[in-house]
Amino acid sequence: MMQKEDEIDLKVLLFNYLQYWPLILAFMFAGLVSAFLFNRYATNIFKVESSILVEDDKPSLGTDLFESAGFGLQGKNNIENEIGILKSFSLAEETISELNLNVQYYNEGFITTNQIYDKLPIIVSVDWKQPQWVGGMFKIEVLDENTFELQIENDEFNIYNPSDPYYKSKLEDPSLKKSVYSFGEKIEEENLSIKINSIFANPGEKFQFKLTDTPTLALKYKEELSVAPINKQASILNLNLETPVRRLGEDYINKLMEMYLKRELDEKNRASESTIRFIENQLLGISDSLETSENKLQQYRSENNVFNLSQEGSVIFERLQELDKQRGETEVSLKYYQTLNSYLENNQGGDLVAPSIIGVTDPLLNSLVEALAELQAEQIRLKSNFSDQAPSVRENATRIANTKKQLQENVNLALNNTRNVLADLNNRIRMIQADINALPKTERDLIGIQRKFTINENIYVYLLEKKAEAEITKASNMPKNTILDFAKAGQIPVAPKRSLNLLIGLILGLIVPIGFITIKDFLNTKIEDPKELENQIKVPLIGMVGRNNSDDALPVLNNPRSSVTESFRSLRADMTYLSQQKENLTILFTSSISSEGKTFVSINMASVYALMGKKTILIGLDLRKPKIAEDFGLMNDKGMSTCLSSDTPWQSVIKSSGHPDFDVILSGPIPPNPAELLLQEKFTNIVNEIKEAYDVIIFDCPPVGLVSETKELFGLADISFFVFRQGYSMKGNTQILNNLVEKGGVSKIYGILNDVHIDKGYGYGYGYGYGYGYGNNSYGYHEEVTPLPWWKRALRRKN
């Protein structure tokens, strides 16, 4: 049984929405049309994609010695850092500057404007060294080959100042001194200086353009660019950008990747340039000494006619020459170690010179210097994108400090070893000098001069070799990261999503009216649903009366085959079960407020009894607002108020309804004290006399929710009916009926729903006497009155 109730509720809900099917279909159609128009005129957005391979550095010899010691060099090729660099504001700014994208051009369409990038009809030159108007839109109309008209299309301008590029001020009321200019003419206003040149603009054509400063563009592209690895294990980064102009997107991403690799290459070249500068500084000092020693050697040989050494002198010189060469190289190494030590102790900036370039072959030292150089370069890149307190910057700073500490220890050890080697070489040279002293003076002097020349020459040649090696290294430097795929735009736009938009339009077209109907029903305070009414009242809902579509207030008498008449017959049949074994029947009709149809129901209920031959009388007890007289076309000159306020017998105020078994006692002239009249014992006596004379008595009482005397009348009736009107009676009025039962002690009272015309899925009564076969789908059993036009029904006064 409970399951059946739930099914009925779903049916009611469905019928409630289906009665508005034209509105729902109209909204769904409007949603589809709106989505179609949006797809038709929306700007197509294309996705531009490319990819970069981020190479991991091969570990240098000896790196594992200090890496395992916890100095943490393994994180220097973090993919997240590379993503941060590619999405950095500074890299976007460099890219925008290279592409010169600060002026955007648009074709003016009928509904929308489209950005143009290739084959520009005009070129706008901007002097970005001075303040400019940015953000707003200019409109240009070509008048002829030499002139054009310039207007302000959108006045949302800001002032860009190159001295403070990241902060702009709003331009109030922008205006131009004149509107017509010549191509190539300089257009100057306060904080504006541009020049417009024609490429192939034709007379009558219209274009729009706007100026955008580099920081604003860089921030826009930085936010729009998406960079992500293709999967968690790969070191391949996928770059994509969504843009309405495919060629612009391709150019931007390609230039961005180019600037990214150039920045990496510049960092690598910086180390080679530092090495070259170090060697050049050494060459400056040694070249002067070489030239001086060479001049002295030539002068001594010419003055003393000595050109070659003796055999003994040659042997001694060769030994001395070899030791001097070793000492020279050792001194260069010592100077490098001292320079490196000073760099570390003073915490200097700048680039390091690789030890291998100077001839130092210590693998650990080489790997440490190389690691420190890369960590410092990484720190520069990180600081250009993140603050000093960022985790990646702080982590990299810790690695630099650990590497410097390890390198400092290694340099101190190398300094001590180099000094010991140099001291040993000096001792050996001094020992050979004792042999030189045994030679003749002329040969001794020649050896000394030639020795100095040879030392300087060897060092000079050695430095030249190292400089050449450094230059070759610089020339052979390549970025470790490589471009896998250059930017390519898709052929199919990613937005608008046409199928999805049509579906959304259809769904919104369905949701909006359903939501409106739901809210309307939720906020509706009128009784519409018979099932809801039945659940709210504490008494049975005994029947329903359909809407009377004619002006005739007596459909039972005048149109006995109508569906409304049949609803009263059904209600009369129910009386048999409500008042068993009662030959005489007194029925009372009331409501909560006026205009709910109690008089209409009373008249036609009396009529249906009269049709079956019952002697019936209708008594109008609404002494304040009588209506029965006008429905029967009678004069309300006498009635119940006449009997109660005078000695007039009730028999004398009876009027005929026009039917032989149907009499009427009108309410009569409106008295000053209607409540007191009805509460007299005289009224009770009259009613008792009438019961003896008639089979059926119908009381048309005033609304119990507005007057008090009706409560006293319930005791005179065998059956009482509380009339509600669909779409008119307030839901809160059900409490009046409930109070009559619970607090007033009224028994044998039932509910009737009048003027049923809103189908809630119960077929107008589903078991309440106005249902299958008797409603709108009458299947030819009844003669229905053609409904009046809506404006007549609106003017017709319902009782």
Side-chain angles (χ1 to χ4, degrees):
M1 187 67 182
M2 201 63 189
Q3 186 178 358
K4 184 177 180 181
E5 290 289 336
D6 292 341
E7 291 175 357
I8 291 175
D9 289 341
L10 290 175
K11 180 183 176 184
V12 171
L13 186 64
L14 179 62
F15 270 84
N16 183 41
Y17 292 124
L18 286 181
Q19 65 179 322
Y20 297 99
W21 67 266
L23 177 67
I24 295 175
L25 285 181
F27 268 87
M28 292 173 68
F29 179 75
L32 285 174
V33 171
S34 300
F36 173 78
L37 293 176
F38 177 80
N39 289 337
R40 172 67 179 81
Y41 294 105
T43 302
N44 289 331
I45 303 297
F46 297 89
K47 189 175 185 178
V48 184
E49 293 184 292
S50 69
S51 59
I52 287 181
L53 174 63
V54 179
E55 293 283 357
D56 290 335
D57 281 344
K58 296 179 180 179
S60 303
L61 182 61
T63 304
D64 54 340
L65 297 179
F66 57 89
E67 190 173 280
S68 60
F71 294 108
L73 300 177
Q74 68 273 12
K76 58 180 180 281
N77 283 312
N78 195 329
I79 287 291
E80 294 298 327
N81 292 342
E82 299 303 319
I83 293 175
I85 293 168
L86 284 166
K87 284 184 62 67
S88 66
F89 176 82
S90 59
L91 189 62
E93 204 170 25
E94 293 175 12
T95 305
I96 296 296
S97 299
E98 287 288 324
L99 289 175
N100 191 21
L101 301 177
N102 299 96
V103 183
Q104 294 87 50
Y105 304 87
Y106 299 89
N107 261 334
E108 189 175 286
F110 178 70
I111 295 179
T112 59
T113 57
N114 300 314
Q115 186 176 355
I116 51 178
Y117 180 68
D118 293 329
K119 301 178 182 179
L120 298 175
I122 58 172
I123 294 293
V124 180
S125 302
V126 186
D127 183 6
W128 290 105
K129 294 182 180 179
Q130 71 173 53
Q132 297 289 353
W133 298 0
V134 295
M137 189 75 75
F138 293 95
K139 179 180 179 181
I140 177 174
E141 181 178 357
V142 181
L143 300 179
D144 52 44
E145 294 180 355
N146 300 316
T147 59
F148 62 90
E149 183 180 5
L150 183 65
Q151 298 177 345
I152 294 175
E153 182 73 8
N154 183 341
D155 61 357
E156 297 295 325
F157 286 98
N158 294 313
I159 299 176
Y160 165 78
N161 193 336
S163 61
D164 192 9
Y166 300 108
Y167 296 93
K168 295 181 284 292
S169 58
K170 185 173 179 60
L171 178 63
E172 302 292 342
D173 299 324
S175 61
L176 299 171
K177 295 176 183 175
K178 60 179 184 176
S179 59
V180 178
Y181 297 87
S182 299
F183 287 111
E185 177 185 353
K186 196 169 186 179
I187 302 172
E188 288 189 304
E189 302 285 346
E190 185 179 1
N191 298 318
L192 177 67
S193 178
I194 61 175
K195 187 184 296 183
I196 301 176
N197 295 302
S198 174
I199 306 300
F200 55 84
N202 299 316
E205 289 185 322
K206 298 178 181 180
F207 308 100
Q208 295 181 7
F209 69 90
K210 69 176 179 178
L211 312 181
T212 309
D213 56 283
T214 298
T216 301
L217 277 177
L219 185 62
K220 172 181 176 290
Y221 280 101
K222 172 184 179 295
E223 297 298 328
E224 292 178 353
L225 180 70
S226 175
V227 183
I230 58 172
N231 57 56
K232 293 181 179 180
Q233 289 75 32
S235 60
I236 297 176
L237 296 178
N238 184 52
L239 287 73
N240 64 74
L241 179 71
E242 294 185 359
T243 175
V245 185
R246 290 184 288 180
R247 184 62 59 84
L248 172 60
E250 291 174 350
D251 289 350
Y252 177 80
I253 290 186
N254 285 334
K255 180 59 69 173
L256 180 80
M257 294 189 297
E258 179 186 331
M259 300 304 296
Y260 168 72
L261 297 181
K262 180 178 179 297
R263 176 182 287 195
E264 180 189 344
L265 183 60
D266 289 345
E267 291 170 0
K268 281 192 171 185
N269 287 339
R270 203 174 292 125
S272 298
E273 290 169 356
S274 298
T275 301
I276 293 171
R277 285 196 300 271
F278 174 81
I279 294 174
E280 287 177 344
N281 290 335
Q282 303 302 315
L283 284 172
L284 288 176
I286 202 66
S287 60
D288 293 338
S289 300
L290 178 61
E291 184 178 0
T292 301
S293 60
E294 184 181 15
N295 291 336
K296 285 184 178 181
L297 178 60
Q298 291 177 354
Q299 183 179 359
Y300 185 81
R301 283 176 172 175
S302 62
E303 289 178 355
N304 295 281
N305 294 320
V306 178
F307 298 99
N308 296 316
L309 296 173
S310 63
Q311 184 177 1
E312 182 181 0
S314 296
V315 173
I316 294 173
F317 180 74
E318 287 177 2
R319 290 166 57 197
L320 187 60
Q321 185 181 21
E322 180 65 27
L323 291 174
D324 282 335
K325 180 181 179 182
Q326 293 180 19
R327 185 171 68 175
E329 293 176 358
T330 303
E331 287 177 345
V332 171
S333 297
L334 180 63
K335 181 173 286 189
Y336 170 76
Y337 289 139
Q338 290 172 341
T339 302
L340 184 57
N341 186 58
S342 176
Y343 177 92
L344 296 173
E345 288 183 348
N346 299 326
N347 198 22
Q348 296 176 355
D351 297 300
L352 290 171
V353 178
S356 58
I357 298 296
I358 308 301
V360 178
T361 58
D362 184 353
L364 181 58
L365 182 66
N366 274 287
S367 61
L368 282 170
V369 172
E370 182 181 350
L372 180 60
E374 292 187 3
L375 287 172
Q376 289 178 332
E378 182 75 10
Q379 191 74 344
I380 294 173
R381 296 167 70 185
L382 290 174
K383 284 188 174 181
S384 66
N385 303 301
F386 308 105
S387 67
D388 291 344
Q389 299 303 317
S392 57
V393 175
R394 296 172 64 182
E395 182 181 359
N396 200 62
T398 302
R399 293 173 184 159
I400 291 174
N402 292 336
T403 306
K404 278 187 175 182
K405 182 179 179 181
Q406 182 74 4
L407 182 58
Q408 181 72 67
E409 295 175 358
N410 195 274
V411 169
N412 291 336
L413 182 61
L415 277 172
N416 292 331
N417 292 337
T418 304
R419 290 191 181 104
N420 291 335
V421 171
L422 187 60
D424 180 63
L425 290 172
N426 287 332
N427 289 332
R428 293 167 65 185
I429 289 172
R430 281 194 296 271
M431 292 173 63
I432 294 175
Q433 283 178 344
D435 295 334
I436 294 175
N437 291 333
L439 295 175
K441 182 179 185 305
T442 302
E443 196 167 1
R444 278 201 316 270
D445 293 340
L446 179 59
I447 287 175
I449 295 172
Q450 190 169 349
R451 176 189 170 199
K452 288 181 181 180
F453 170 75
T454 303
I455 292 172
N456 290 330
E457 185 182 33
N458 289 337
I459 295 174
Y460 188 79
V461 171
Y462 174 76
L463 290 175
L464 285 178
E465 291 175 353
K466 295 304 177 184
K467 180 182 178 184
E469 291 176 6
E471 290 174 342
I472 291 172
T473 300
K474 178 183 176 182
S476 61
N477 275 340
M478 294 291 291
K480 65 180 179 182
N481 303 327
T482 55
I483 299 175
L484 286 183
D485 296 310
F486 285 93
K488 181 67 177 176
Q491 299 299 315
I492 300 176
V494 296
K497 300 183 183 299
R498 287 173 168 76
S499 299
L500 180 61
N501 289 342
L502 290 174
L503 180 61
I504 292 174
L506 184 65
I507 293 174
L508 287 177
L510 181 64
I511 291 176
V512 169
I514 288 179
F516 173 76
I517 295 168
T518 303
I519 293 174
K520 180 182 76 69
D521 289 346
F522 178 76
L523 298 177
N524 185 20
T525 58
K526 304 295 180 63
I527 295 174
E528 291 185 354
D529 187 359
K531 192 69 177 179
E532 183 181 3
L533 174 62
E534 184 181 35
N535 293 332
Q536 287 183 354
I537 60 178
K538 304 294 184 180
V539 298
L541 180 63
I542 202 65
M544 293 191 291
V545 178
R547 167 162 284 187
N548 181 24
N549 291 319
S550 67
D551 283 331
D552 188 3
L554 300 169
V556 171
L557 295 178
N558 299 330
N559 192 11
R561 295 186 60 189
S562 68
S563 58
V564 175
T565 301
E566 191 61 34
S567 66
F568 283 104
R569 288 195 183 104
S570 178
L571 189 58
R572 182 188 64 191
D574 291 336
M575 293 295 180
T576 305
Y577 303 101
L578 298 178
S579 59
Q580 295 181 1
Q581 299 177 354
K582 248 188 176 311
E583 295 184 359
N584 295 332
L585 189 63
T586 303
I587 306 172
L588 180 150
F589 290 94
T590 186
S591 63
S592 57
I593 57 175
S594 61
S595 300
E596 289 182 303
K598 61 177 180 55
T599 300
F600 172 77
V601 175
S602 301
I603 292 174
N604 287 279
M605 197 64 203
S607 300
V608 81
Y609 274 106
L611 287 176
M612 67 178 296
K614 293 280 187 180
K615 191 175 182 181
T616 307
I617 186 168
L618 172 65
I619 303 175
L621 299 181
D622 191 350
L623 304 185
R624 291 179 175 83
K625 195 175 180 182
K627 295 179 181 177
I628 296 177
E630 60 185 78
D631 290 336
F632 283 96
L634 302 174
M635 292 290 294
N636 193 25
D637 52 347
K638 58 182 179 179
M640 186 57 69
S641 64
T642 307
C643 296
L644 295 176
S645 59
S646 65
D647 294 331
T648 304
W650 61 271
Q651 292 85 353
S652 64
V653 298
I654 295 175
K655 295 190 178 184
S656 176
S657 66
H659 191 277
D661 294 323
F662 187 5
D663 293 332
V664 179
I665 295 179
L666 302 178
S667 58
I670 300 175
N673 55 344
E676 287 75 12
L677 289 179
L678 291 176
L679 295 179
Q680 295 180 74
E681 186 178 353
K682 183 178 181 179
F683 174 70
T684 304
N685 296 331
I686 292 175
V687 170
N688 290 331
E689 293 177 5
I690 294 175
K691 286 182 179 181
E692 293 177 0
Y694 288 88
D695 298 326
V696 178
I697 303 171
I698 305 295
F699 288 163
D700 178 25
C701 296
V704 70
L706 300 178
V707 299
S708 59
E709 60 267 23
T710 305
K711 296 179 181 180
E712 305 297 331
L713 301 178
F714 286 115
L716 300 177
D718 299 317
I719 301 174
S720 300
F721 289 100
F722 198 100
V723 179
F724 298 94
R725 179 178 174 182
Q726 189 183 43
Y728 183 84
S729 299
M730 305 295 290
K731 293 179 180 179
N733 290 347
T734 58
Q735 192 59 38
I736 298 175
L737 174 57
N738 293 336
N739 288 337
L740 289 175
V741 176
E742 295 176 352
K743 300 177 182 180
V746 178
S747 60
K748 300 204 75 172
I749 186 169
Y750 304 96
I752 292 179
L753 184 60
N754 181 39
D755 194 27
V756 177
H757 59 282
I758 302 173
D759 190 356
K760 288 291 181 179
Y762 289 101
Y764 287 164
Y766 192 28
Y768 299 118
Y770 188 61
Y772 299 119
Y774 303 111
N776 289 338
N777 299 325
S778 57
Y779 301 105
Y781 280 90
H782 307 290
E783 294 178 355
E784 293 298 336
V785 177
T786 303
L788 295 173
W790 66 269
W791 57 274
K792 284 189 176 182
R793 293 200 306 270
L795 294 175
R796 182 167 59 85
R797 186 174 182 180
K798 290 288 293 180
N799 292 328

